[in-house]
Amino acid sequence: MLSRNSLVNDCYIAPHPEKEGFAAWVELSDEGITFLLEQGYRELVNSLKNGLKQAQENILIPCFWRFTDALPYNIQSKINKPEFDRTFLEDCKDPIWLEEKRKDNTFRAIGKVPLDLVYLQDHFAEFPLVPGVVELQWVFEQIAKLVPQPSICSHIDKLKFQKFLRPADQFVLSLKWDEVKGKVTFQLTINEEVCCSGVAVLAG
C-alpha cells in the first residue's frame, strides 16, 4: 500500500531491530523529495501515515521512518537485513561521500546530503537544511585527511555562509593547504555557487 503513494518509489518494512513496532525504509520519489524540501520531515511522515490509515490497522502502521533516494539491493534483489538494522539503530550524521581526490596541497571531495540526516528533522521543521556548524564539522573532517600532522583550529577567518545546503543536494568541497602559513582555505559549493567558505587557521 505504501509503495502506491505518489511520494514513494519503493519501500521496505520490517519489525524494528530493537523497539516494538514496524520500521519503514522509504525510497522517496521526486515528488516525495520535493514534499520533504517544502514541508519538512514531520509533515512527510504524517502524510504517509495518513495514507496508510485508510487501508491498514493502526498496529501495522510503521512507527519508525528513514528516507533515502535509492534503497540498496544486493545481487539477489533483496534488502540486506543487517544494513536495514544499522540504519534504524544509528543516526545518520555524515554526508554520502561519492568521490575524493588529493593532489599536492589540495583536496577535492564530492558529497551528497542524505535525506535522513539526523540534523534535518528539526532544523527547520518546515524548511530542512544543514546547519552551518554541521557544514564546518564536515569540512574539518576532510581537512584532517589533507593536513599531515595533528592540528586544532585556532580560529576561522573570512567565514561566510551564502547559500543553503539542503536534503539531496550534491556538493563539492575544495581545500587548499598553505603549510607555511598554517592555513587551510575551504569552499563548499553547489553547481559552482558558494554555500560556505573561509580560512581555517591551524595550530599544531
Side-chain angles (χ1 to χ4, degrees), residues 124-166:
F124 294 94
E126 297 179 359
F127 190 82
L129 56 88
V130 180
V133 67
V134 175
E135 293 181 41
L136 292 178
Q137 175 183 312
W138 295 349
V139 168
F140 280 97
E141 287 172 355
Q142 299 307 310
I143 285 177
K145 299 178 181 179
L146 175 62
V147 178
Q149 67 269 25
S151 304
I152 61 173
C153 179
S154 169
H155 59 278
I156 301 176
D157 290 335
K158 302 177 182 178
L159 180 60
K160 294 181 180 178
F161 293 98
Q162 298 170 261
K163 180 180 173 66
F164 294 136
L165 185 62
R166 307 199 63 206

Side-chain angles (χ1 to χ4, degrees), residues 58-81:
N58 286 340
I59 195 172
L60 298 177
I61 295 176
C63 303
F64 310 95
W65 299 78
R66 295 292 291 266
F67 299 108
T68 181
D69 58 357
L71 282 175
Y73 286 94
N74 61 25
I75 57 175
Q76 286 83 32
S77 298
K78 294 182 179 180
I79 294 291
N80 183 286
K81 187 60 165 59

Side-chain angles (χ1 to χ4, degrees), residues 68-69 92 94-99 110-115 138 171:
T68 181
D69 58 357
C92 178
D94 299 314
I96 302 166
W97 293 111
L98 304 173
E99 178 183 312
I110 299 175
K112 189 173 184 178
V113 180
L115 297 182
W138 295 349
F171 62 88

